[in-house]
Amino acid sequence: MTAGDRRVVVTGLGPVTSIGVGADDFHAAQLKGLSGVRPITRFDAGGMPVRIAGEVDLPAARAPAARDAATADRSTHLAVAAAGLALESSGLDLAAEDRTRIGVVIGTGSGGVSTWETNTAALLTHGPGRLGARFIPMSMANSPASRICLDLGLLGPSSAVVTACASGADALVTASQMITSGEADVVLAGGTEAPVTRMLVGGFAKIRALSTRNDRPEQASRPFSADRDGFVLAEGAAVLVLESAAHAAARGARVLAELRGFGRSSDAHHVTAPHPEGAGAARALRAALRSAGLRPQDVSHINAHGTGTGYNDAAEAKALHAALGEAAGRIPVSAIKSMTGHALGAAGAIEAVAAVQAIDRGVVPPTTNLAEPDPALGLDVVGGTPRDLPVDAVLSNSFAFGGHNVVLAFTRPAPA
């Protein structure tokens, strides 16, 4: 095939989030500015400094069967649900496809952490005889990708990506490379995370990364706000169906957007704090523009990493100004973690879905809880209500602990 045939397009969306499950419900919730943050129910959080999180309510039709519930971690259940939704959204008929040409890439930050936590407690309390027989496969970071392949009978390349909060976006990069290299024609790619556990909530609270607005859960996540005090941990997953443009055209698929390019970099600065000037993030932004053949003035919208911590939001704003110049102050910016919370390794994939929907539906979601935007950031953060506008190109940012930076560039699909 020619290089043009290997352009990477998006044909299916499968978000599983605290504000909605499925593309339509997820998009409607974004436009309403709904919050999925609430008091924690997945464990007894009494006595903990942080007692709020974004939890997912899986509809009965998407929940695992009883025989499957005990054989996989919740992170895998969420990923499997997301893959099913994405596949249905794409209209891809697996029975008519060469399954050796369909790949899977799923990113995660912590893998089967609830399985690990439960078995650690059993080991320390009762000894090794009480470890679960499926403990190892359930807790592996590659378990979600493996389970999707098993359930759907997919025989192409499969992989897991672990780059903390950039994992979901990084998985889309890997999937894109599988397609452009000719290794696969279709890849189900995204991220998953189920971190609402006593250990992870306690651990992030210990390093003062989380908001402590326990009495006002829906107002706790406040990206780019002057009074932001930390992010809100969340569970979730999202899978996108990526295809070569030629494959999508051959089957008459509806193309939602094109994954035109990407940029990646490392901060090499600190294990948890971003570079104070956003230097690594700026390099990733510039690389994404180059890869996509875009100029700063071509960018219609920025889906920000926007966690709501003091350091992250400030560093991201500096990176945007450094990479985009004067355009940075006039491009509409949204941070949907204000609604969903921060789903760590799934966040980049969830936000990629939102970026694609902004292009496909011509509307930019709001950033909630933005009563007092931080004037020092110099950004046009969309607050209050969504904005209807033509969206031709979106940059979707994911910046992670460890200094991993990934920026995805999505554009309106070229005319057929």
Side-chain angles (χ1 to χ4, degrees), residues 25 40 43 53 62 73 86 91 168 204 250 258 278 302 306 364 402:
D25 286 351
I40 290 170
F43 64 90
R62 300 293 171 185
D73 185 82
F204 278 109
E258 180 176 344
I302 295 165
V364 169

Side-chain angles (χ1 to χ4, degrees), residues 41-204:
T41 64
R42 296 202 59 76
F43 64 90
D44 182 0
M48 297 191 71
V50 174
R51 299 183 296 280
I52 56 174
E55 297 183 343
V56 172
D57 293 322
L58 271 180
R62 300 293 171 185
R67 68 178 182 276
D68 296 326
T71 63
D73 185 82
R74 182 165 173 81
S75 61
T76 297
H77 295 320
L78 297 177
V80 167
L85 287 162
L87 198 59
E88 291 170 18
S89 169
S90 73
L92 189 70
D93 180 6
L94 292 181
E97 295 290 333
D98 177 356
R99 298 189 191 200
T100 68
R101 300 289 300 164
I102 303 177
V104 176
V105 186
I106 303 297
T108 183
S110 53
V113 66
S114 62
T115 295
W116 191 274
E117 191 170 317
T118 299
N119 280 270
T120 298
L123 173 67
L124 295 177
T125 304
H126 303 290
R130 293 293 293 274
L131 288 172
R134 299 184 179 91
F135 160 51
I136 294 298
M138 287 174 63
S139 60
M140 296 187 307
N142 64 312
S143 185
S146 172
R147 188 60 174 261
I148 291 169
C149 289
L150 284 166
D151 286 358
L152 299 178
L154 303 181
L155 306 172
S158 63
S159 182
V161 176
V162 182
T163 45
C165 308
S167 300
D170 223 349
L172 292 171
V173 172
T174 298
S176 173
Q177 292 170 327
M178 287 178 175
I179 292 171
T180 57
S181 70
E183 188 179 14
D185 296 322
V186 181
V187 183
L188 277 63
T192 189
E193 205 78 85
V196 186
T197 72
R198 182 179 295 275
M199 186 71 77
L200 260 65
V201 173
F204 278 109

Side-chain angles (χ1 to χ4, degrees), residues 304-328:
H305 185 56
T307 62
T309 67
Y311 288 133
N312 177 86
D313 290 4
E316 184 168 12
K318 289 178 180 178
L320 290 170
H321 286 287
L324 303 176
E326 60 85 22

Side-chain angles (χ1 to χ4, degrees), residues 269-288:
H269 169 71
H270 191 273
V271 71
T272 56
H275 189 283
E277 299 301 315
R283 287 195 301 275
L285 283 158
R286 293 189 191 101

